[in-house]
């Protein structure tokens, strides 16, 4: 009888699936030979119903925290790069050399940083693929727009020898950096969308 009391104390754990493998084996062996405990088990199981395993919880909060951290880090890096570029540009002399740092660093990173605002609207997109496509188009478009504004601002359109302009020679630096930032936008926006649950 004492053995039955112990088993009856364990039956709720057995029904909930919260017992160890050894305990489960012990309870099942006893239920196979003890009709009174088997009846107790059937009553308890009937009262609570067949328990289905709880669905695996997605760790959405953790992933959303990671997504938020990723966006914050990219914003911070962009801000640092823009600050550095603006400081270097402010120290550059007037004349043809003016604009070198703006086109080399400030313009590409400004376009990239502004494109990160697009990420706030990730939930409006039906799929991750669509979001990533729009992200790289946004980044490329903003960098191109900032580049055209820079040409207008530095009066490059009016320069007689446009391709001899010193900062335009740095296009070999501007273009790879811009392409790199667009590639970063594709990779990181895909990761970001995955972390916030976009399929």
């Amino acid at each position: 009888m004492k053995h039955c009391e112990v088993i009856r104390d364990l039956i709720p754990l057995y029904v909930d699936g919260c017992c160890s493998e050894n305990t489960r084996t012990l309870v099942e062996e006893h239920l196979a030979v003890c009709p009174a405990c088997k009846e107790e088990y059937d009553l308890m199981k009937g009262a609570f119903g067949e328990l289905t395993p709880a669905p695996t919880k997605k760790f959405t909060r953790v992933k959303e925290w990671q997504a938020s951290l990723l966006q914050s880090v990219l914003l911070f890096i962009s801000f640092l790069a823009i600050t550095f570029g603006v400081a270097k540009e402010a120290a550059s002399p007037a004349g043809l050399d003016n604009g070198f740092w703006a086109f080399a660093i400030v313009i590409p990173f400004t376009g990239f940083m502004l494109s990160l605002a697009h990420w706030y609207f990730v939930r409006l997109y039906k799929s991750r693929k669509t979001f990533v496509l729009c992200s790289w188009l946004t980044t490329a478009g903003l960098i191109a727009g900032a580049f055209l504004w820079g040409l207008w601002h530095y009066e490059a359109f009016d320069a007689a020898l446009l391709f001899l302009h010193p900062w335009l020679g740095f296009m070999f630096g501007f273009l790879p950096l811009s392409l790199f930032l667009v590639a970063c936008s594709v990779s990181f926006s895909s990761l970001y969308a995955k972390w916030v649950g976009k399929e």
Side-chain angles (χ1 to χ4, degrees):
M1 191 65 178
K2 275 190 174 182
H3 192 61
C4 287
E5 287 177 9
V6 172
I7 294 298
R8 286 179 185 180
D9 286 342
L10 294 174
I11 286 175
L13 296 173
Y14 177 75
V15 170
D16 287 342
C18 298
C19 57
S20 69
E21 190 66 36
N22 290 337
T23 303
R24 185 172 351 147
T25 304
L26 179 70
V27 171
E28 286 172 355
E29 287 173 357
H30 182 80
L31 293 177
V33 295
C34 180
C37 289
K38 175 77 165 102
E39 186 180 339
E40 181 81 21
Y41 164 71
D42 288 338
L43 285 172
M44 195 172 293
K45 189 173 83 167
F48 293 106
E50 281 289 349
L51 292 178
T52 54
T56 308
K57 223 177 181 185
K58 290 183 180 178
F59 295 103
T60 315
R61 283 187 182 170
V62 174
K63 290 182 180 179
E64 285 184 358
W65 179 82
Q66 289 173 335
S68 180
L69 180 64
L70 173 65
Q71 189 178 26
S72 299
V73 167
L74 292 175
L75 284 167
F76 182 70
I77 290 170
S78 299
F79 178 75
L80 284 180
I82 291 167
T83 303
F84 174 77
V86 167
K88 295 296 280 181
E89 182 62 29
S92 66
L96 288 178
D97 288 339
N98 198 246
F100 178 90
W101 292 103
F103 282 88
I105 294 176
V106 177
I107 286 173
F109 271 103
T110 299
F112 179 72
M113 186 173 76
L114 291 174
S115 74
L116 294 176
H118 168 255
W119 291 13
Y120 289 110
F121 304 102
V122 65
R123 287 182 175 80
L124 299 178
Y125 292 90
K126 290 183 179 179
S127 70
R128 185 173 13 156
K129 187 177 179 181
T130 307
F131 173 72
V132 171
L133 175 66
C134 289
S135 290
W136 87 258
L137 286 173
T138 301
T139 304
L142 285 168
I143 290 174
F147 175 73
L148 291 174
W149 175 86
L151 290 177
W152 172 81
H153 178 75
Y154 287 98
E155 300 176 349
F157 289 125
D158 299 333
L161 300 172
L162 183 62
F163 291 102
L164 297 178
H165 208 273
W167 54 257
L168 200 59
F170 199 71
M171 280 292 293
F172 293 106
F174 166 81
L175 194 56
L177 178 60
S178 298
L179 292 174
F180 171 74
L181 290 174
V182 169
C184 284
S185 179
V186 170
S187 300
F188 290 132
S189 64
S190 178
L191 186 60
Y192 179 85
K194 181 181 178 183
W195 281 344
V196 296
K198 279 287 169 193
E199 296 300 326

